[in-house]
Amino acid sequence: MNMRPEIEEILNLVQKPARYINSELNSHKPDMSADFSVCLCFPDIYEVGASNLGLEILYHLVNEKKLARCERAFAPDSDLEQILRERKFPLFSLESNSSLKSFDIVGFTIQCELVATNIVNMLDLANIAIFSKDRKEDDPLILGGGPALTNPEPFCDFFDFFILGDGEGALPLVIEVCRNSKKLSRKDLLKKLSEIDGVYVPSFYSVEYNEDSTIKSVTAREGVKPVVKKALLNLENAYFPKKKIVPYVQTVHNRLNIEVARGCPGQCRFCQASKYYRPWRERPIEKLVALVGEGLESTGYEEVTFSSLSCSDYKHLDKLLIETNARYGDSKLSISLPSLRCNEHSLRVAQYINRSKRPTLTFAPEAGSDRLRNVIGKYLSEKEIAQTLLSANAMGWKVIKLYFMIGLPTETDQDLAAINTLVRLVRKEAKGLSFNITVSPFVPKAQTAFQWFPMASQKSIKEKIDYLNKILPATVKAHNHRASILEAFIAKGDRRVAGAIYKAWQKGARFDQWADKLGNDIWSQALQESGLNLDFFVYRVIKQDEVLPWDHLHFGVSKAELYADYVKGINETSDAVAGQFTRSNSLLPQDYVEPVNSVVLPVMRMRLRFSRAGAVKYISHLEQIEVFRRAARRSGLPVAFTGGFTPQVKSSYGPPMSVGYESFAEYMELYFTEKISSNEVIRKMAKVLPEGFKITEAKRVPLTFPAIDILTNVAEYEIKNVSVSQQELDEFLSQDKIIIVKNKKGKDIEIDAKPLIVSFKSEGGGLKLLLKFGNGKTVKPESILAKLLENNKNYGTMYLVARTNLYVQASNGNLYIP
Ligand code: SF4
């Protein structure tokens, strides 16, 4: 799909334009004739947001069921933000490049509290009034949803409404109400929406404060139901997309993600996610097995992850893994499980993942001692943990990642020391096993049993981290504690916190969730100017009878039940003495056979020439390789695989082309385990390639020939939108040297490009450049153009470069097409 020219112009100026293009595989073409539109926004960069499961489920659901035209937008990085502001160009959606302001609903997923300033920034960049009270009748409705909204109050001033709970149930109803109520005023429409389960319209509630700054009351406007109950979905028959989007850019979860269950049967008293997604619901195994097949066929992914907050609790997990291995093992599939409980059952299921490779295994004991784990509701004994780690070691795992929290309610020095005891106990028995330990400060969250508890002071957190760093015989990674404090401030804040968020944004706060971008001074000033006291929100023990900012929102457990659980937790005294554990043998069942990663040798090699045009010209060389590897997997062709722990489609590629330029001379070589005709290869690859790529030729080459990137050494480029006469070119070429400065690993190096220029001609209103490359001396055509045009008054106009041919130059100087 083509992009708007003004957006193309902008994308040519940013560092990673592929973040903002619109034609990823399995994304939807926008139906511009639809009478209702929704833009789903992720307030972080594309790499973080593109694989967010919640957003993707809603995106496909709305489009496939034709409820509305549904598109996506992600937070622009600072380079794009700067250009948008300079050009006064509004933030746009990916699919149709439409301004966010033109949508009927703009929805944000709020996965963590620290994205608050990014949301404000995206609204501002879209020219949408930041505060809901300032929005006009025809402005889009701003919707929020996501697990950080166990307390939406700090976000209330920016949003028109929220969906609390599962979006798949509530969003279709919201769209239906909006579509059928186009004549209603904004206020009346919101009133109608507030009747849907899980919909919370904050402007219908007023908050009064006591003199000591605590909340006196939260009152619903007359006629508005006083308690908002979160939306709940029955997962048995729930929608799940069969064709997942395959991003061009390397994202944080670049694999097929299938959700096996939602919620968590665990009872951890600190856990916000399990409260938001409560109760535990499972998808039927038959559906999951089918989804794996459909997902692999439509994406070409080489890895599937079975996700849930606690996937080892999924009752058919063993069966699901065995079935997946049996059906798809031949396609060199690897399986990952992101959240395993620290017990031997998890190890039994872990044997089916990643086969002979035994990568890092991750567990989260959270606290060091049995007593403290009882306090937090993570009922797991030291004996059980140690036994599990030893068994993991016996099964071949060499690195264990452990997650702990510090500053937990009732935590003592002994509890911290117990982390050290546990690690040393296991290390003594399991020689060769090493640990990576991550510690994060405990952040109290709304709707959990620990919502009344304060956060540990910055000083004490720092001391605890220093102590663990000193005593632990392992690498210790500490989560940025300043970010945790800010997270606690927003997580437990009330509506007044919006003022500080707004001020921080005005002062330049963006991407606060990224340790290197969090500006502490900015936030201190913002707090000061908004008259808020951090200690009041973060470091105060809240009294039992105090009105909490989120009391009027119901997540399935009453405040009285939560308080009883809180009291039970902090009074846990059981300090089970660690039992004896024995060095374990492998837990593999008797009949388990470790699958062998057999490599079938290729019998044929085919060289494919292809072109790239349109939005895909913005993807990098490595991203393009990934596109073709996955396309080859999807094609059904008998492709050969490499050996090793992570088998890949055996292939090689031509030299890289700069991001942003079209090419008619890209090459890929594919190896096959069976003989096959070139027509069939073209036909099958054409079916599965994303829009913008086109195979133009396929020919058989001997298996032993050098790879295409070694063989070729001259490239031909056509340069348009630039006017230079042949005389000027000849003068340019008549110089003794044409020095180009390249930056390599931070160092400037000079290259004389003159010997690399085979010819440079003015032809057909443009330029034609033949350029040698290889042998460690490669210069980009745009660098030569920049040099040519450095004193030209037209320099700075947008020129277009396209690679038109690649050649092999023989020793006699003749050029051959490979
Ligand atoms: S096991 Fe994990 S997801 Fe479940 S309640 Fe405990 S911390 Fe939350």
Side-chain angles (χ1 to χ4, degrees):
M1 165 141 188
N2 289 328
M3 310 191 73
R4 279 169 57 191
E6 58 274 43
I7 289 180
E8 281 216 43
E9 207 178 301
I10 288 171
L11 294 193
N12 282 325
L13 302 171
V14 301
Q15 226 181 3
K16 284 196 178 172
R19 286 170 171 165
Y20 312 106
I21 62 176
N22 58 6
S23 57
E24 308 116 296
L25 186 74
N26 300 331
S27 59
H28 292 271
K29 288 220 165 88
D31 175 8
M32 301 310 284
S33 65
D35 65 351
F36 198 80
S37 58
V38 179
C39 187
L40 298 176
C41 303
F42 195 93
D44 203 332
I45 54 171
Y46 181 91
E47 287 88 325
V48 179
S51 34
N52 178 268
L53 193 56
L55 186 137
E56 198 176 350
I57 290 176
L58 294 178
Y59 169 76
H60 288 297
L61 172 75
V62 174
N63 280 312
E64 280 176 28
K65 306 238 180 257
K66 300 202 180 310
L67 307 176
R69 165 167 63 93
C70 187
E71 304 193 29
R72 295 160 301 147
F74 296 85
D77 208 349
S78 50
D79 55 349
L80 179 59
E81 180 185 344
Q82 194 188 336
I83 297 166
L84 292 178
R85 290 196 184 283
E86 279 166 10
R87 298 187 171 210
K88 297 193 177 15
F89 196 89
L91 184 60
F92 51 89
S93 63
L94 292 198
E95 283 77 2
S96 69
N97 294 167
S98 301
S99 149
L100 262 53
K101 198 173 178 174
S102 66
F103 286 83
D104 294 302
I105 290 180
V106 174
F108 286 88
T109 173
I110 307 176
Q111 301 287 312
C112 102
E113 292 79 1
L114 296 177
V115 297
T117 53
N118 272 15
I119 293 172
V120 175
N121 198 38
M122 288 176 79
L123 289 173
D124 185 62
L125 283 169
N127 291 335
I128 297 172
I130 290 170
F131 293 102
S132 62
K133 66 177 173 46
D134 298 329
R135 285 181 204 130
K136 305 276 181 301
E137 283 295 315
D138 54 356
D139 279 340
L141 288 172
I142 307 302
L143 158 68
L149 293 182
T150 50
N151 172 23
E153 295 304 287
F155 296 92
C156 283
D157 288 2
F158 311 123
F159 283 85
D160 296 306
F161 71 110
F162 298 98
I163 291 177
L164 305 178
D166 303 309
E168 302 102 302
L171 186 60
L173 294 174
V174 163
I175 294 173
E176 192 186 319
V177 167
C178 291
R179 286 176 75 167
N180 295 334
S181 317
K182 287 203 164 168
K183 293 202 173 116
L184 287 185
S185 69
R186 195 176 179 89
K187 199 165 164 191
D188 288 345
L189 175 59
L190 285 169
K191 171 74 182 34
K192 230 174 166 185
L193 291 176
S194 73
E195 285 155 21
I196 298 172
D197 253 3
V199 170
Y200 172 42
V201 181
S203 56
F204 293 165
Y205 294 75
S206 55
V207 184
E208 279 188 70
Y209 299 92
N210 293 311
E211 274 182 15
D212 65 359
S213 217
T214 55
I215 291 175
K216 188 171 177 189
S217 62
V218 179
T219 317
R221 218 184 62 178
E222 211 187 318
V224 174
K225 52 181 184 180
V227 171
V228 178
K229 239 183 160 176
K230 71 166 187 164
L232 198 59
L233 188 79
N234 169 3
L235 219 58
E236 286 264 314
N237 299 311
Y239 168 85
F240 195 86
K242 293 178 179 162
K243 293 182 169 187
K244 307 284 298 301
I245 291 173
V246 184
Y248 292 122
V249 175
Q250 183 75 26
T251 56
V252 289
H253 299 296
N254 211 359
R255 56 189 84 103
L256 180 65
N257 183 354
I258 309 269
E259 183 195 39
V260 295
R262 201 171 289 179
C264 177
Q267 301 296 319
C268 305
R269 295 189 171 96
F270 59 86
C271 181
Q272 178 187 35
S274 62
K275 306 304 178 281
Y276 189 83
Y277 291 112
R278 192 196 312 249
W280 169 251
R281 292 151 286 167
E282 299 187 343
R283 287 189 197 269
I285 182 161
E286 315 75 50
K287 288 205 171 165
L288 294 177
V289 173
L291 281 171
V292 175
E294 286 155 345
L296 293 176
E297 201 182 312
S298 61
T299 62
Y301 275 128
E302 49 286 309
E303 183 177 349
V304 61
T305 189
F306 292 117
S307 69
S308 135
L309 287 175
S310 178
C311 58
S312 46
D313 285 307
Y314 179 63
K315 67 173 177 272
H316 304 298
L317 191 59
D318 305 53
K319 215 169 148 194
L320 177 64
L321 296 173
I322 293 168
E323 189 77 358
T324 304
N325 266 333
R327 287 203 194 184
Y328 311 109
D330 280 354
S331 57
K332 315 288 179 201
L333 180 70
S334 88
I335 303 172
S336 60
L337 300 170
S339 50
L340 291 172
R341 276 190 197 282
C342 189
N343 58 25
E344 303 218 7
H345 166 67
S346 295
L347 293 182
R348 267 192 301 279
V349 297
Q351 71 198 314
Y352 295 107
I353 63 175
N354 290 306
R355 302 158 173 206
S356 51
K357 184 183 171 191
R358 289 284 182 254
T360 308
L361 204 55
T362 304
F363 294 119
E366 308 289 11
S369 69
D370 287 355
R371 184 201 66 83
L372 192 54
R373 278 190 293 275
N374 289 347
V375 168
I376 64 174
K378 188 119 199 172
Y379 299 104
L380 195 61
S381 72
E382 182 182 79
K383 183 179 175 190
E384 201 175 356
I385 300 171
Q387 196 72 62
T388 307
L389 300 186
L390 288 177
S391 299
N393 184 236
M395 288 170 69
W397 271 278
K398 295 278 176 262
V399 183
I400 305 280
K401 245 191 210 171
L402 295 178
Y403 283 90
F404 291 96
M405 281 193 286
I406 50 173
L408 285 162
T410 77
E411 183 181 274
T412 63
D413 290 350
Q414 284 80 21
D415 298 311
L416 287 185
I419 299 177
N420 183 41
T421 312
L422 171 73
V423 171
R424 286 185 189 273
L425 260 175
V426 177
R427 265 173 57 110
K428 205 169 118 204
E429 293 293 325
K431 298 271 174 337
L433 186 66
S434 62
F435 289 92
N436 289 336
I437 293 179
T438 300
V439 288
S440 320
F442 157 68
V443 177
K445 296 281 173 99
Q447 310 286 0
T448 72
F450 285 162
Q451 61 186 358
W452 291 272
F453 203 78
M455 189 172 171
S457 72
Q458 186 167 351
K459 181 168 169 277
S460 101
I461 287 171
K462 198 173 168 319
E463 283 167 4
K464 287 169 202 276
I465 292 171
D466 289 347
Y467 168 74
L468 289 174
N469 250 320
K470 212 158 76 191
I471 57 163
L472 278 171
T475 320
V476 179
K477 227 171 98 190
H479 189 265
N480 179 355
H481 61 272
R482 287 167 311 200
S484 300
I485 294 165
L486 182 58
E487 186 183 330
F489 167 63
I490 300 175
K492 291 194 28 178
D494 54 41
R495 292 192 179 187
R496 293 169 295 185
V497 165
I501 294 170
Y502 179 66
K503 286 216 179 292
W505 166 75
Q506 279 183 316
K507 291 174 187 305
R510 312 278 191 276
F511 296 101
D512 296 314
Q513 67 278 32
W514 293 80
D516 57 331
K517 302 220 172 162
L518 177 63
N520 289 305
D521 292 348
I522 287 179
W523 274 97
S524 310
Q525 286 168 26
L527 275 159
Q528 211 177 22
E529 287 176 24
S530 51
L532 297 179
N533 179 356
L534 184 78
D535 293 8
F536 173 82
F537 292 99
V538 177
Y539 299 123
R540 186 173 60 94
V541 180
I542 298 173
K543 292 195 199 107
Q544 183 186 359
D545 57 357
E546 194 176 314
V547 177
L548 301 172
W550 51 87
D551 272 355
H552 54 298
L553 307 170
H554 207 262
F555 278 74
V557 183
S558 71
K559 191 176 176 185
E561 285 169 297
L562 280 179
Y563 196 80
D565 194 33
Y566 167 56
V567 173
K568 183 171 178 250
I570 56 172
N571 287 313
E572 282 279 6
T573 51
S574 143
D575 196 2
V577 178
Q580 289 299 306
F581 52 84
T582 46
R583 184 114 184 52
S584 175
N585 290 318
S586 164
L587 283 165
L588 295 176
Q590 303 272 309
D591 56 353
Y592 178 73
V593 184
E594 185 87 36
V596 181
N597 180 17
S598 52
V599 177
V600 181
L601 292 175
V603 297
M604 202 187 94
R605 178 183 179 195
M606 193 83 81
R607 183 177 296 150
L608 279 65
R609 178 173 170 150
F610 61 95
S611 60
R612 67 172 206 186
V616 295
K617 71 183 178 186
Y618 290 111
I619 69 174
S620 71
H621 184 64
L622 290 179
E623 289 157 0
Q624 187 168 292
I625 289 176
E626 214 45 72
V627 168
F628 275 79
R629 274 195 197 142
R630 288 186 179 142
R633 289 180 81 105
R634 288 194 302 275
S635 68
L637 289 163
V639 290
F641 287 87
T642 59
F645 287 145
T646 45
Q648 292 286 3
V649 169
K650 191 170 166 55
S651 51
S652 49
Y653 299 83
M657 179 68 189
S658 294
V659 167
Y661 297 131
E662 295 187 340
S663 175
F664 302 93
E666 297 294 284
Y667 285 91
M668 171 206 205
E669 289 174 337
L670 262 180
Y671 294 77
F672 297 98
T673 54
E674 291 168 26
K675 298 234 165 104
I676 186 159
S677 74
S678 51
N679 281 346
E680 193 168 356
V681 173
I682 294 180
R683 190 172 56 80
K684 290 199 164 166
M685 286 296 282
K687 264 192 187 167
V688 291
L689 276 171
E691 196 177 325
F693 290 110
K694 188 172 179 212
I695 309 273
T696 50
E697 188 187 19
K699 67 177 177 192
R700 201 172 157 183
V701 284
L703 281 165
T704 50
F705 245 44
I708 182 78
D709 58 329
I710 296 172
L711 204 62
T712 51
N713 52 4
V714 172
E716 179 186 78
Y717 299 97
E718 247 177 39
I719 300 148
K720 289 189 183 148
N721 275 9
V722 62
S723 164
V724 181
S725 67
Q726 188 61 49
Q727 192 186 342
E728 286 170 287
L729 285 178
D730 291 342
E731 274 167 28
F732 177 68
L733 293 174
S734 68
Q735 301 172 85
D736 289 343
K737 286 183 173 179
I738 299 173
I739 299 298
I740 306 285
V741 180
K742 277 176 78 169
N743 193 286
K744 260 194 170 175
K745 293 180 186 161
K747 257 184 148 184
D748 281 346
I749 54 163
E750 290 189 348
I751 295 185
D752 178 11
K754 188 167 174 191
L756 303 179
I757 300 174
V758 179
S759 67
F760 204 178
K761 292 189 179 136
S762 175
E763 247 181 49
L767 305 178
K768 187 173 264 183
L769 172 65
L770 273 174
L771 198 55
K772 278 191 209 167
F773 61 87
N775 288 333
K777 282 200 173 168
T778 300
V779 170
K780 289 180 179 174
E782 58 269 29
S783 303
I784 292 181
L785 270 174
K787 189 80 187 164
L788 169 73
L789 300 172
E790 65 185 351
N791 298 319
N792 188 308
K793 62 179 180 343
N794 289 329
Y795 178 63
T797 55
M798 304 284 295
Y799 46 76
L800 298 171
V801 180
R803 183 154 73 195
T804 44
N805 266 311
L806 274 181
Y807 296 105
V808 182
Q809 188 172 42
S811 49
N812 61 6
N814 289 345
L815 298 176
Y816 301 95
I817 289 187

